[in-house]
Amino acid sequence: MKVVIYARYSSHNQSECSIEGQLEICRAYAQQNNFDIIGEYIDRATTGTTDNRPQFRKMIEDSEKQLFNGVLVYALDRFARNRYDSAVYKAKLKKSNIKVYSARENISDDPAGVLMESVLEGMAEYFSLELGQKVKRGMNLNAECCFYNGGSVPLGYKLENVYDERFNNNLKKAVKKQYVIDEEKAYIVKKIFEMYANDTRMVDIINYLNGLKLTTSKNNPFNKSSIGRILTNKKYIGIYSYNGIEKEDGIPRIIEDDLFEKVQRELVRNGLAPARSKAKTAYLLTGKLYCGKCKDKMTGTSGTSKTGKLHTYYMCKTAKHSKDLCNMGKVKRKNIEDIVVELAQSLLTSENINQVANKVVEIAHNSQDDTQLKRLQKSLRDEEKRKENTLKAVTVCEDDSTRKSLFDEISNINENIKNIEKLLIQEESNHILISTSEIKFFLKQLMKGNIQDFKYRKMLINTLINRVYLYKSKIVIVYNINNREQEIEISLIKNIECSTVDSTALP
Ligand SMILES: [Zn+2]
């Protein structure tokens, strides 16, 4: 495991462990855990309140190159100033499969922390609050939010106005356009993909569509090149792209990955498209799904059937190696994900939403380091008191020269007050306070979201699911909410839904 160390020392906190001390403890921890340290990022703050952390930002930037798998810190408060920031940055690192390790604390042992982090991470993702805004400064703001950036709108989509509240002082800038599915046309796209996947010849597809007097997005009859453009357009699987930046789930999808993949293979086979690397199937339960029998992780695996259809499963890692060690079978990816997502969503009752929102705000509030803020507030009160006393002294003063010196003192105090107020504003901006109503809003979106929509599936799982244990007869789900646990008989689910577990694989 390759890790980098991040250390930070701010001079205004005297009780802090020195950089050297932090590094020493991190190195010892790395040795114990067989971590290979490949770099160190160190920020030595010179002033009390500015917190630019250039090395931290460099570390975040470098993380995208995926040269390391972990960031090791002496303590979590070195990593981020508050838990909100921590969640946002962790989510960012997670995208590059990088984990944060603390040499002093065991992060996973704190259920309250897990709840808050998962909710904040989900929110950060939902509101696109990712640091992207600061880190990838050059990235176009529209592209960041997957807004329409000009050009032709593909068949099956239309544009809808949305309000971007970051521009709430400028209505013209605040109104953006985003892609939504045009249900009246989307079925044509689906039909084209399905026909092509089922070996229908290109010319027959064209004749079929034109025979029905259907037209392209530009109201022209279909031809080979317009069909070709449709069949290879990644927007249909939800990928938004602009200036070489691709965002998964950036727009609503019309075509499922399996179908899209199949069509791409057909196109290659028919010499109509260049071969390209296999698209990744997202296994949303990776890292959360465990084999109930041997407690090993269940990981994604796939196979292509004779008809060319891609089948995706989760399988116990131990069972994969040896049927003697564990005889747990495969489970269909979609089936287990469907169950988990559905149960997670049903957990989001109004009562639970209120409870979670209050809890998260409470934890976030308690974990803020507000010593600096309190110190400044106290100095401000002190100076104001001093000013009041000095003013009183002026009114009873009868000596001109004393009076003059008192006035000088007052103007000094005013100067001090101005400075403290400036520092206070800076410090307050470091304390992002999150409100219960914001959290409730986010969780309500998850409650209402369409669980067939990849974005919601992913967010529901990431936010609410801690672990899932799959047994042959039951599923045990551990939620992030208050470490709640739920047990479901597989036979029971079977009655509600289609088959849950590939029964041939599960004797
Ligand atoms: Zn197993």
Side-chain angles (χ1 to χ4, degrees):
M1 161 89 100
K2 286 182 178 146
V3 301
V4 295
I5 296 179
Y6 174 70
R8 176 165 71 100
Y9 182 76
S10 33
S11 50
H12 71 257
N13 189 345
Q14 299 305 318
S15 61
E16 236 171 54
C17 184
S18 70
I19 292 283
E20 287 65 35
Q22 293 180 29
L23 290 176
E24 202 176 302
I25 290 167
C26 286
R27 285 178 194 138
Y29 181 90
Q31 203 173 10
Q32 273 167 25
N33 291 279
N34 278 328
F35 288 175
D36 189 7
I37 299 168
I38 63 156
E40 286 169 359
Y41 297 84
I42 298 163
D43 278 320
R44 292 173 205 268
T46 43
T47 58
T49 49
T50 51
D51 193 9
N52 294 325
R53 301 200 289 161
Q55 283 290 305
F56 183 81
R57 288 204 313 246
K58 176 137 188 7
M59 181 270 289
I60 295 287
E61 258 176 61
D62 288 350
S63 72
E64 287 175 18
K65 297 175 197 152
Q66 307 199 339
L67 299 172
F68 47 91
N69 331 90
V71 175
L72 178 57
V73 289
Y74 159 72
L76 274 187
D77 65 353
R78 300 298 83 203
F79 178 71
R81 288 183 60 107
N82 54 52
R83 294 183 92 156
Y84 179 82
D85 260 8
S86 168
V88 172
Y89 282 107
K90 268 194 200 162
K92 172 133 187 80
L93 291 174
K94 215 185 207 171
K95 281 189 184 150
S96 312
N97 284 321
I98 296 170
K99 261 183 87 172
V100 178
Y101 297 90
S102 163
R104 279 200 335 183
E105 304 124 316
N106 192 345
I107 309 169
S108 58
D109 279 348
D110 170 17
V114 171
L115 169 67
M116 195 194 71
E117 266 172 21
S118 51
V119 170
L120 292 182
E121 262 182 47
M123 289 180 71
E125 200 177 326
Y126 183 81
F127 296 110
S128 296
L129 268 180
E130 59 171 339
L131 278 169
Q133 287 166 18
K134 288 174 205 158
V135 178
K136 293 182 221 150
R137 230 175 264 119
M139 190 168 162
N140 182 295
L141 205 59
N142 278 355
E144 220 174 276
C145 301
C146 302
F147 292 134
Y148 173 66
N149 250 332
S152 64
V153 178
L155 186 73
Y157 289 106
K158 57 186 177 183
L159 298 173
E160 196 176 80
N161 285 342
V162 283
Y163 182 74
D164 183 350
E165 52 186 65
R166 283 170 305 175
F167 297 102
N168 57 7
N169 53 350
N170 184 335
L171 189 64
K172 207 175 154 202
K173 273 192 185 168
V175 176
K176 306 279 184 191
K177 286 183 191 307
Q178 71 180 16
Y179 291 100
V180 291
I181 294 179
D182 180 355
E183 297 294 350
E184 283 173 33
K185 302 278 174 61
Y187 83 94
I188 307 173
V189 176
K190 281 185 199 150
K191 187 79 196 166
I192 294 171
F193 272 88
E194 276 158 16
M195 287 177 88
Y196 195 76
N198 288 326
D199 284 338
T200 313
R201 289 186 311 157
M202 192 71 107
V203 59
D204 293 331
I205 299 176
I206 295 166
N207 290 340
Y208 170 81
L209 297 169
N210 291 341
L212 290 171
K213 297 268 182 288
L214 296 170
T215 57
T216 66
S217 56
K218 287 176 182 150
N219 286 325
N220 294 322
F222 287 93
N223 58 33
K224 206 172 164 181
S225 67
S226 53
I227 299 283
R229 272 198 301 276
I230 287 170
L231 291 175
T232 53
N233 194 338
K234 285 200 234 168
K235 280 201 177 72
Y236 292 128
I237 48 168
I239 296 178
Y240 174 98
S241 61
Y242 182 71
N243 275 350
I245 297 156
E246 281 196 348
K247 278 200 151 192
E248 274 180 51
D249 315 313
I251 57 176
R253 69 160 68 225
I254 292 177
I255 302 297
E256 288 305 312
D257 284 336
D258 288 359
L259 180 57
F260 191 84
E261 275 312 303
K262 186 168 184 213
V263 164
Q264 304 315 302
R265 285 194 300 271
E266 289 291 308
L267 286 167
V268 173
R269 207 166 57 90
N270 296 334
L272 294 171
R276 62 181 184 89
S277 56
K278 208 171 131 196
K280 259 200 333 228
T281 309
Y283 293 89
L284 294 178
L285 287 171
T286 302
K288 296 189 188 249
L289 182 62
Y290 289 81
C291 169
K293 202 157 185 197
C294 73
K295 305 291 182 278
D296 200 357
K297 278 183 179 161
M298 295 190 74
T299 52
T301 172
S302 68
T304 314
S305 68
K306 276 181 217 136
T307 56
K309 189 170 162 40
L310 186 71
H311 294 276
T312 49
Y313 308 91
Y314 288 99
M315 192 174 182
C316 164
K317 271 171 88 178
T318 300
K320 214 183 230 175
H321 286 296
S322 158
K323 285 270 174 269
D324 294 334
L325 291 173
C326 180
N327 62 358
M328 194 66 184
K330 290 185 277 189
V331 59
K332 280 188 180 154
R333 178 185 65 84
K334 181 96 168 41
N335 283 347
I336 182 90
E337 285 179 3
D338 278 353
I339 295 160
V340 172
V341 162
E342 212 170 294
L343 290 169
Q345 198 173 39
S346 68
L347 196 71
L348 290 172
T349 58
S350 303
E351 195 193 328
N352 281 342
I353 286 178
N354 284 341
Q355 208 190 333
V356 170
N358 291 333
K359 184 85 193 160
V360 169
V361 167
E362 187 196 314
I363 310 164
H365 186 78
N366 290 340
S367 60
Q368 295 267 10
D369 174 14
D370 58 359
T371 46
Q372 178 73 350
L373 192 68
K374 283 199 174 126
R375 196 180 64 77
L376 288 168
Q377 282 163 343
K378 186 176 180 304
S379 332
L380 187 65
R381 281 196 305 273
D382 290 349
E383 286 299 290
E384 274 163 354
K385 186 86 200 152
R386 201 153 75 88
K387 185 175 165 183
E388 204 184 302
N389 290 338
T390 318
L391 281 168
K392 265 185 207 156
V394 171
T395 56
V396 294
C397 176
E398 290 176 354
D399 171 49
D400 275 353
S401 78
T402 314
R403 194 198 308 261
K404 189 182 173 304
S405 73
L406 285 174
F407 274 126
D408 285 347
E409 200 179 330
I410 291 174
S411 87
N412 272 338
I413 297 172
N414 280 340
E415 193 60 31
N416 287 347
I417 290 179
K418 235 197 259 167
N419 284 333
I420 296 170
E421 280 173 344
K422 227 188 267 170
L423 292 174
L424 255 177
I425 290 171
Q426 274 181 35
E427 186 61 27
E428 275 166 355
S429 71
N430 285 322
H431 290 250
I432 305 164
L433 286 177
I434 192 151
S435 69
T436 46
S437 60
E438 283 170 297
I439 298 173
K440 281 186 204 163
F441 175 80
F442 165 65
L443 292 174
K444 277 183 190 149
Q445 298 310 304
L446 285 190
M447 181 177 82
K448 289 189 296 198
N450 172 5
I451 55 171
Q452 289 309 321
D453 180 336
F454 181 79
K455 186 172 97 183
Y456 283 103
R457 289 171 80 85
K458 190 170 153 196
M459 237 176 261
L460 274 166
I461 289 176
N462 286 346
T463 308
L464 299 171
I465 303 296
N466 193 300
R467 269 163 190 240
V468 180
Y469 292 96
L470 180 71
Y471 296 81
K472 288 189 179 178
S473 59
K474 64 178 181 185
I475 299 172
V476 176
I477 302 183
V478 185
Y479 296 102
N480 282 328
I481 298 182
N482 297 347
N483 257 14
R484 228 178 279 230
E485 228 175 75
Q486 194 176 12
E487 203 178 299
I488 308 104
E489 296 289 325
I490 281 188
S491 56
L492 237 139
I493 309 163
K494 268 186 178 167
N495 293 337
I496 308 166
E497 272 272 310
C498 56
S499 76
T500 327
V501 175
D502 192 354
S503 50
T504 54
L506 285 183

